[in-house]
């Protein structure tokens, strides 16, 4: 798999991803909802409904960003949530958001690295990641860490962009590669962040390929659901 990085420097993907999200943090939520036309809210709710069947008490949300999925999971399940992210600026936005809705006793936000999680093995009833695994520097190492910290017979839920197939594919790809980066650049003032998005999606495995990777990492069962004609996919990988 080709390694796509935000800025193409010598710093390495992990540092570049951290810098990119620090740069765009103040505008991230606005851009996210505008660029996805708020479909991302529906996607997260679909994940929460699937996860709710597990009746989790403690959930780790990796690459939590500004906490949108952490908040949705907490509201949907009543679980205690730990949100972890590389970007301090994204976390700071999330912490303020969580305080405003008075969920700071239910959601803890911490800075950390998905590929070196600061938790003991078999700790969480579920692990969630929305639009984060694509940014891992070492995909297998990150997935192994997610598997390590979830309890036996429990699941990791991954929401990630995939590729639209069928008659709408050319129109979507035109928007994704041409229009979306221009809006992102205009609002965030980061010229690369929203070019990196389609580039990283194009380079990332999805569907059966992603299922195979998850099985190779050692999950015993993997299911997935395509969302919105394949724009995104939720994977449920059970340990």
């Amino acid at each position: 798999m080709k390694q796509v990085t935000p800025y193409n420097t010598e710093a390495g993907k992990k540092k570049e991803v951290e810098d990119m999200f620090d740069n765009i943090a103040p505008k991230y939520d606005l851009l996210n909802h505008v660029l996805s036309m708020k479909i991302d809210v529906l996607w997260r709710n679909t994940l929460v409904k699937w996860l709710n069947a597990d009746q989790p008490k403690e959930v780790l949300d990796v690459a939590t960003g500004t906490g949108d999925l952490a908040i949705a999971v907490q509201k949907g399940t009543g679980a205690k949530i730990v949100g972890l992210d590389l970007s301090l600026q994204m976390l700071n936005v999330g912490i303020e958001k969580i305080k405003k809705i008075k969920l700071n006793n239910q959601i803890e936000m911490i800075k950390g690295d998905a590929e070196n999680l600061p938790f003991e093995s078999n700790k969480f009833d579920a692990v969630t990641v929305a639009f984060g695994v694509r940014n891992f520097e070492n995909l297998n190492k990150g997935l192994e860490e997610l598997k390590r910290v979830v309890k036996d017979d429990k699941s990791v839920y991954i929401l990630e962009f995939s590729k639209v197939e069928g008659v709408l594919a050319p129109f979507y790809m035109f928007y994704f590669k041409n229009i979306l980066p221009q809006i992102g650049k205009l609002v965030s003032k980061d010229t690369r962040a929203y070019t990196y998005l389609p580039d990283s999606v194009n380079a990332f495995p999805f569907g059966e390929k992603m299922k195979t990777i998850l099985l190779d990492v050692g999950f015993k069962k993997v299911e997935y659901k395509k969302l919105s004609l394949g724009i995104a996919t939720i994977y449920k990988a059970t340990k």
Side-chain angles (χ1 to χ4, degrees):
M1 188 173 69
K2 189 160 78 76
Q3 179 85 288
V4 174
T5 65
Y7 303 117
N8 302 317
T9 69
E10 299 298 311
K13 183 169 182 176
K14 198 174 292 184
K15 181 73 177 86
E16 287 191 29
V17 165
E18 182 181 355
D19 289 347
M20 177 185 76
F21 282 112
D22 278 348
N23 289 343
I24 65 175
K27 303 285 187 188
Y28 179 80
D29 281 345
L30 168 70
L31 272 165
N32 219 14
H33 297 321
V34 167
L35 293 172
S36 71
M37 293 170 277
K38 286 212 169 179
I39 299 170
D40 62 313
V41 177
L42 295 174
W43 295 342
R44 275 189 284 273
N45 290 341
T46 304
L47 186 154
V48 172
K49 277 182 194 154
W50 204 2
L51 164 63
N52 206 15
D54 294 352
Q55 299 183 303
K57 300 286 178 284
E58 195 174 8
V59 177
L60 172 65
D61 184 42
V62 172
T64 196
T66 63
D68 276 352
L69 183 57
I71 292 164
V73 171
Q74 202 292 318
K75 286 181 171 177
T77 65
K80 282 260 184 188
I81 316 290
V82 178
L84 175 139
D85 203 276
L86 266 180
S87 165
L88 189 59
Q89 299 309 321
M90 293 282 278
L91 288 167
N92 287 341
V93 173
I95 287 163
E96 287 310 307
K97 199 194 304 188
I98 288 159
K99 274 185 196 160
K100 265 185 198 160
I101 55 174
K102 298 185 168 53
L103 284 180
N104 38 312
N105 289 329
Q106 279 76 39
I107 303 173
E108 180 190 2
M109 301 285 268
I110 62 171
K111 181 169 162 55
D113 177 1
E115 294 168 40
N116 297 284
L117 292 170
F119 309 107
E120 67 267 27
S121 300
N122 306 301
K123 177 174 169 60
F124 295 97
D125 301 311
V127 176
T128 59
V129 195
F131 311 114
V133 294
R134 200 181 70 256
N135 298 323
F136 289 176
E137 188 167 72
N138 182 327
L139 178 61
N140 276 32
K141 193 176 176 202
L143 295 175
E144 280 164 6
E145 275 291 88
L146 304 184
K147 181 170 76 76
R148 181 182 68 77
V149 300
V150 78
K151 291 175 182 172
D152 287 341
D153 299 315
K154 298 297 185 183
S155 301
V156 173
Y157 291 82
I158 295 166
L159 169 58
E160 190 50 87
F161 287 113
S162 41
K163 287 183 193 164
V164 178
E165 292 161 325
V167 290
L168 288 175
F171 302 102
Y172 177 72
M173 283 314 296
F174 181 81
Y175 168 75
F176 205 45
K177 285 193 79 72
N178 298 288
I179 297 166
L180 181 148
Q182 292 307 317
I183 300 169
K185 186 162 44 173
L186 201 68
V187 178
S188 74
K189 305 290 188 277
D190 187 309
T191 54
R192 255 304 282 172
Y194 289 87
T195 311
Y196 165 73
L197 175 60
D199 289 352
S200 62
V201 170
N202 274 333
F204 198 74
F206 66 98
E208 287 297 309
K209 279 187 183 170
M210 186 62 175
K211 179 178 177 176
T212 300
I213 289 167
L214 288 161
L215 289 169
D216 287 348
V217 161
F219 288 101
K220 65 183 182 189
K221 184 183 178 189
V222 179
E223 307 158 74
Y224 63 90
K225 292 179 181 178
K226 289 182 181 181
L227 306 169
S228 305
L229 303 171
I231 296 173
T233 303
I234 302 170
Y235 304 87
K236 178 186 178 183
T238 304
K239 182 170 170 178

